[in-house]
């Protein structure tokens, strides 16, 4: 697998993580001169280095969540990978699907804002 594909695969489709990996790979390559190549080894180092800012992003989001938003998020996570149905979350929380609407809307609004720049 090439360096770019390795980075894209590890980002799992999360654009901010692509930015973090790219920045960390650039640093791992020694802020390469024009024409230099970022290798798989540089990306391997970057994958480790990019995890900490991602973890901090999600820890911050968790800290800023209300208890109801945390319960909602935990119910979603408990449903595993893939699609999560509102009815499943409502069942776990013993609420109606309509009761979830304000919390769901708040989470979407808060988490759709742009994350901070990756030191670029």
């Amino acid at each position: 697998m090439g360096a770019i594909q390795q980075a894209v695969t590890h980002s799992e489709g999360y654009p901010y993580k692509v930015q973090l990996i790219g920045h960390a790979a650039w640093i791992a390559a020694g802020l390469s001169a024009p024409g230099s190549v970022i290798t798989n080894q540089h990306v391997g180092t970057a994958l480790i280095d990019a995890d900490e800012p991602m973890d901090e992003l999600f820890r911050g989001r968790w800290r800023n969540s209300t208890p109801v938003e945390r319960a909602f998020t935990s119910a979603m996570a408990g449903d595993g990978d893939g699609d999560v149905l509102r009815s499943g979350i409502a069942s776990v929380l013993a609420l109606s699907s309509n009761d979830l609407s304000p919390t769901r809307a708040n989470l979407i609004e808060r988490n759709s804002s742009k994350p901070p720049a990756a030191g670029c």
Side-chain angles (χ1 to χ4, degrees), residues 98-113:
N98 287 339
D99 291 336
L100 299 177
S101 293
T103 302
R104 179 179 176 273
N106 288 340
L107 287 168
I108 290 169
E109 175 64 27
R110 183 178 310 122
N111 295 310
S112 64
S113 64

Side-chain angles (χ1 to χ4, degrees), residues 3-4 7 13 17 25 48 58 68 93:
I4 291 175
K17 194 161 189 180
I48 296 165
F58 291 118
V68 172
L93 299 177

